[in-house]
Amino acid sequence: MNDRSLWRIAIHAALIASSVLMLYPLLWMMAASVRPEAEIFSSGSLWPSDWSFQAYSRGWTLLGVGFGTFFSNSFIIAALSVAGNLFSCSLAAFAFARLEFPGKRIWFALMLVTLMLPSQVTLIPQYAMFFNLGWVNTFLPLVVPKFLAADAFFIFLMVQFFRGLPKELDEAAIMDGCSPWGIYWRILLPLSTPVLATAAIFTFIWTWDDFFAPLVYLSDIRNFTVTLGLRSFVDAAGESDWGAMFAMSILSLLPVMIFFLLFQKMLIEGIATTGMKR
Amino acid sequence: MIQSHLRRLVGSHAVAGYGFLLPWLIGFFFLAVGPSLISLYLAFTDFDLLTSPEWVGMANFERILTADAKFMASMRVTFMFVILSVPLKLALALIVAVALNKGLGGLSIYRAIFYLPSLLGASVAIAILWRQLFSGDGLVNMALEPFGIIGPSWISNPNYSLWTLVALSVWQFGAPMIIFLAGLRQIPADLYEAASLDGAGPWRQFRRITVPMITPVIFFNLIIQTIDAFKSFTPSFVISGGTGGPINSTLFYTLYLYQEAFGFFRMGYASALAWILLIIIAVFTALSFLSSRYWVHYDE
């Protein structure tokens, strides 16, 4: 065996060791959710001595309002957010990428500036506005901004994609008497499924995981998202029912895990080409 | 001739342009510009949401900068967090990316495994897991026991609690790693071939070729990750139960801002805190760009 292949084996060994180290806590949490309660604090193994799904049924109803409610709330908010982002961001991106109109460059520059604005700056006036509209403790403050393209990052993402599509398409369509709406709806959107899918998946995952906005805007437990439910769980169960807490945590990660397994390649390409932070 | 005529036709859609832009324009004024201006005004007022804001001049800023021990604590914690977590995370991301770029095989599997924590890490579920891992009888101490080490309760010891949050952040090195990998692929292979013909070893190649060639990516990751670290909220909230404790040792800046705004309803004061955060981020970004001409190499 030469030096080179020894070196390769060493790198593989290091990578495998660190993969195991990275995943161990996750796998251990899965094991902890089905093992006997007493074993959680005494066993580091990934294989429970005895399997039981009691922690799941205990956790599901522990807060009085079931996790089923939290899951459906989270799904509603995430689905509306996806619809809102796809609709509003693609409209704006089409205007920026394909139409000529006075002031376009300035608006585009301003759009890029909003990308840099920390959400903490606009938080309090937005809260006051939604409070005065009577929207606090409804889903509206979480969803309506998505229909107004508040996630400008996705506009940027779509502009980049639209610019890559041949301009001759638009010209041919105009010859056939197509309106700008027709170009957008019948030509560009059908060609843009990759970028629309990327935007949809990231919107779903980020909304699903979002903790801050629901924490600020939702106060009635029946309106809670899964993330808020988990938080109240920590307060209610404290350090006493780790099994149930882990069980609900695993369930909360499930949709994101499924997206990861199905669309892993798309997610990784999205990160690599646009530099998204997570 | 026909081409330019067509282009003018395509390009003459002023009304359509603004029509398509309308949702964003509404959002831009009502969710970004308007609130920013109001926030700037509120920073100079006392405001409790229910009664109208009362002008207090510089009083909020004066108190924040001279008489607010919690502000000082949260600044110290946040800067410590940024200074510890960002370099560690980026160094690990770069090392693993370089190892994966050697063409060893199994790239897509490793990449997926290392990326998964980035995708899950910001969730409440993972913060809950972290609470258990670093508690007195948690998994970490279980792992240390065979070595005869009786570990403390890491999360309730103010000397270590911030480190558990740093560990959580470093665990999520996968996203910057993927960006590094994309950058490494752009480096022409013949550079390395020429270097090894000249007798340069792996370490020398790394220092003389890899690092200079990906400084733009390092720069990009540095800015994104630093801004993100300054704005981090969920882990400190969940792990400390919303208090930033023990003894303010995990009181992230955003958590302090949240407590002021929604715990005490001191919304004017919290607006002043938000503008200080904006200034810190702006100064950091400006300094990074100024420094970049000395260490970031772009292809001419």
Side-chain angles (χ1 to χ4, degrees), chain B residues 78-135:
Chain B
T78 308
F79 271 90
M80 280 289 282
F81 176 70
V82 170
I83 291 166
L84 293 172
S85 69
V86 176
L88 282 174
K89 189 178 190 176
L90 292 187
L92 194 58
L94 181 56
I95 292 167
V96 177
V98 168
L100 289 182
N101 199 43
K102 298 274 181 218
L104 294 163
L107 169 73
S108 59
I109 297 170
Y110 287 128
R111 202 175 50 178
I113 292 174
F114 290 134
Y115 173 58
L116 184 63
S118 294
L119 201 60
L120 304 177
S123 63
V124 175
I126 295 299
I128 288 176
L129 171 63
W130 233 248
R131 265 172 79 118
Q132 200 285 344
L133 292 186
F134 290 96
S135 67

Side-chain angles (χ1 to χ4, degrees), chain B residues 35-287:
Chain B
S36 299
L37 295 175
I38 295 169
S39 165
L40 185 59
Y41 162 71
L42 289 177
F44 297 94
T45 67
D46 265 347
F47 179 47
D48 65 359
L49 192 65
L50 298 172
T51 52
S52 50
E54 195 181 318
W55 185 263
V56 294
M58 293 298 289
N60 287 335
F61 290 98
E62 261 173 51
R63 214 188 105 204
I64 289 170
L65 296 173
T66 59
D68 185 346
K70 258 189 130 177
F71 166 78
M72 292 310 291
S74 71
M75 283 297 255
R76 201 169 50 241
V77 168
T78 308
F79 271 90
M80 280 289 282
F81 176 70
V82 170
I83 291 166
L84 293 172
S85 69
V86 176
L88 282 174
K89 189 178 190 176
L90 292 187
L92 194 58
L94 181 56
I95 292 167
V96 177
V98 168
L100 289 182
N101 199 43
K102 298 274 181 218
L104 294 163
L107 169 73
S108 59
I109 297 170
Y110 287 128
R111 202 175 50 178
I113 292 174
F114 290 134
Y115 173 58
L116 184 63
S118 294
L119 201 60
L120 304 177
S123 63
V124 175
I126 295 299
I128 288 176
L129 171 63
W130 233 248
R131 265 172 79 118
Q132 200 285 344
L133 292 186
F134 290 96
S135 67
D137 43 7
L139 188 62
V140 169
N141 284 346
M142 258 189 261
L144 291 175
E145 216 180 298
F147 303 99
I149 303 168
I150 309 295
S153 170
W154 307 89
I155 56 162
S156 50
N157 183 326
N159 294 326
Y160 303 118
S161 48
L162 185 61
W163 284 96
T164 65
L165 294 171
V166 171
L168 176 54
S169 164
V170 174
W171 185 60
Q172 299 168 52
F173 71 84
M177 178 203 75
I178 287 172
I179 299 170
F180 276 134
L181 262 174
L184 290 172
R185 294 230 174 125
Q186 307 291 319
I187 304 178
D190 49 355
L191 283 182
Y192 291 107
E193 282 157 24
S196 65
L197 283 179
D198 289 347
W203 173 242
R204 230 179 123 81
Q205 291 183 18
F206 176 73
R207 275 192 43 215
R208 294 295 167 82
I209 302 171
T210 312
V211 171
M213 290 296 283
I214 57 158
T215 45
V217 187
I218 298 177
F219 179 64
F220 176 85
N221 272 337
L222 178 71
I223 289 196
I224 297 284
Q225 294 296 331
T226 305
I227 293 178
D228 203 42
F230 270 118
K231 290 161 54 175
S232 173
F233 176 82
T234 308
S236 92
F237 186 97
V238 176
I239 290 175
S240 73
T243 63
I247 339 177
N248 295 336
S249 61
T250 59
L251 186 67
F252 280 10
Y253 194 80
T254 51
L255 178 55
Y256 178 48
L257 193 155
Y258 170 83
Q259 290 177 349
E260 284 294 315
F262 299 100
F264 302 108
F265 286 93
R266 291 196 279 257
M267 300 244 169
Y269 200 72
S271 299
L273 289 173
W275 276 86
I276 290 175
L277 178 67
L278 175 72
I279 291 165
I280 291 171
I281 290 177
V283 167
F284 163 78
T285 312
L287 287 179

